[in-house]
Amino acid sequence: MTLLHDLTGAPPGMTGGALLLRLSAIGAVLAGTVGTFAYAGGWLAPGLVTPARVVDRFEAVNGPHPGFRRNHAKGLCVAGRFSGNGAGVRLSKAGMFAAGRVTPVEGRVALAGGQPYAADAEATVRSLALRFQLPDGEEWRTGLNNIPVFPVRTPEAFYAQLLAAKPDPATGKPDPERLKAFFAAHPESATAAALIKARTVTAGFADSTFWSLNAFRFVAADGSTRPVRWAFVPDPASAPKGAADAATTDRDALFDAFVAQLAQGPRRWHLVVTLGQSGDPTDDATRPWPAHRETVDVGTLTLTAAMPEAASTCRDINFDPLVLPAGIAPSDDPLLSARSAAYAQSFTRRAGETKTPSAVAAGAPIHGAAL
Ligand code: HEM
């Protein structure tokens, strides 16, 4: 058999015409494959928002901070467990919802923004990212913010907003004209920004509610599915005493207060699932669902320990929102796949970079309460 036959898989004795036909079919497949990669890389559409461009823009806006997450750069690792109470079983077949099931959880509390050494500020968006480790290698990763809606609806708007909100070096604040133009082009973001501004900002991480913002779908054992959003709502019984006193004006005040509160005892949040109804937007994280939708408390998250970011802790986890166990599925929200791709890009870049200690690692003692 000739080399040509090896490459085409054509049997010996095939006619010239048939061979040409086969070669052009292979060419078409190759062109299609290369085209898909070129499309994914953004080469065929210069204006396209790609994961690399999004992460480039984070770097352009925040400056280079090798080794750190390109967003939510300042953070602290946490650990604990989730206890299912059985109420979620009728909604989702995910194992952690079974009554009495205890699932180990690793996570990270952080502040939004790409500045790993920024001073803590009350109004900065706080985040909680969690990885639930289920049996048989299944995982649930979820990232949450302490705001009731997300400021943008699409990846393109996210990309535009990054630049519009970039602080002007002269004033330290975003250029008002640029912001105005952004909101004029994205009226849904103006409405969301008003809701975010109107929220009650609590004293710290321990008494914050963290929302999924994006919609997902729960899939039950009988195959039925329903749209959901979820939130981790602080348990009043575990709310920190004197949290306001604990907070100071120090650079790492919010993180230090949380570490001190965890040292006093575990902190608990209820996982409250909101059930969407037909017509509730699942593809638009800027819009809240109507008030008084049915909610179900499906279990309790207990955080028991905080550790500085370092190798083998949360630093090296990518809290990709599309890592889901059977029983939880993505919705049609375009932010979900954009997040997944951008987090992978950020993770790949930071994984290959030399690490400097996190600001929070410098001052935070380790509290390793047993799980
Ligand atoms: C297109 C929209 C979004 C983009 C491009 C984006 C981008 C990013 C990037 C690049 C990171 C750093 C990831 C890493 O290096 O591990 C990050 C972290 C994070 N994002 Fe987003 N994000 C988006 C929307 C959202 C939404 C809707 C939420 C909802 C709650 C969210 C919550 C978080 C959280 C909690 C973290 C921190 C995770 C951690 O502590 O590791 N993001 N985001």
Side-chain angles (χ1 to χ4, degrees):
M1 199 182 275
T2 64
L3 179 63
L4 191 63
H5 288 134
D6 284 340
L7 289 175
T8 60
M14 185 181 241
T15 65
L19 183 59
L20 256 182
L21 207 67
R22 181 167 288 203
L23 279 174
S24 56
I26 291 173
V29 170
L30 270 180
T33 313
V34 171
T36 305
F37 279 113
Y39 175 78
W43 303 338
L44 295 185
L48 203 72
V49 173
T50 64
R53 288 202 180 115
V54 170
V55 175
D56 287 348
R57 185 159 281 187
F58 271 116
E59 291 173 1
V61 166
N62 296 298
H65 299 288
F68 288 98
R69 282 166 167 81
R70 283 2 186 210
N71 195 11
H72 298 253
K74 186 177 186 183
L76 177 76
C77 301
V78 293
R81 59 182 179 267
F82 177 78
S83 308
N85 62 18
V89 171
R90 74 177 167 96
L91 307 170
S92 164
K93 62 185 172 191
M96 71 245 167
F97 297 135
R101 178 76 55 84
V102 177
T103 302
V105 176
E106 285 175 277
R108 183 169 177 269
V109 290
L111 293 177
Q115 302 285 351
Y117 297 105
D120 295 1
E122 261 209 344
T124 309
V125 171
R126 299 168 198 159
S127 64
L128 174 66
L130 300 169
R131 169 163 82 163
F132 296 67
Q133 287 180 289
L134 287 75
D136 302 325
E138 268 201 311
E139 288 193 12
W140 180 29
R141 302 189 194 181
T142 182
L144 313 120
N145 286 337
N146 74 329
I147 45 176
V149 287
F150 200 62
V152 296
R153 187 171 59 83
T154 62
E156 292 75 17
F158 188 95
Y159 185 67
Q161 185 233 11
L162 268 180
L163 199 59
K166 179 185 165 146
D168 181 336
T171 61
K173 295 198 164 129
D175 173 349
E177 285 308 311
R178 248 197 329 213
L179 265 189
K180 218 168 105 187
F182 172 80
F183 284 128
H186 301 90
E188 72 284 2
S189 292
T191 310
L195 289 173
I196 293 168
K197 203 168 166 212
R199 79 195 197 274
T200 305
V201 180
T202 61
F205 287 106
D207 58 358
S208 291
T209 295
F210 295 98
W211 280 275
S212 71
L213 306 180
N214 298 123
F216 291 80
R217 297 193 76 77
F218 268 9
V219 183
D222 64 3
S224 62
T225 77
R226 68 189 77 232
V228 292
R229 285 173 170 173
W230 53 75
F232 286 82
V233 180
D235 181 335
S238 88
K241 312 273 177 286
D245 301 335
T248 68
T249 52
D250 291 350
R251 189 190 64 167
D252 305 325
L254 286 172
F255 289 100
D256 290 350
F258 188 51
V259 169
Q261 287 152 1
L262 272 182
Q264 288 163 18
R267 300 289 155 202
R268 288 186 294 278
W269 285 260
H270 294 273
L271 173 49
V272 177
V273 178
T274 301
L275 310 185
Q277 289 185 8
S278 114
D280 292 347
T282 53
D283 60 353
D284 186 349
T286 65
R287 287 171 59 198
W289 283 353
H292 312 303
R293 284 282 177 262
E294 184 185 349
T295 59
V296 185
D297 177 344
V298 298
T300 305
L301 170 74
T302 306
L303 293 185
T304 53
M307 294 81 62
E309 290 191 288
S312 335
T313 64
C314 71
R315 191 194 66 195
D316 298 335
I317 300 174
N318 171 4
F319 291 99
D320 177 341
L322 291 183
V323 175
L324 301 166
I328 307 180
S331 68
D332 56 351
D333 187 334
L335 293 185
L336 283 173
S337 49
R339 286 179 68 187
S340 183
Y343 294 15
Q345 180 69 216
S346 171
F347 182 84
T348 307
R349 291 191 195 184
R350 63 188 174 83
E353 295 165 346
T354 308
K355 308 287 186 292
T356 34
S358 133
V360 188
I366 296 177
H367 293 286
L371 292 186

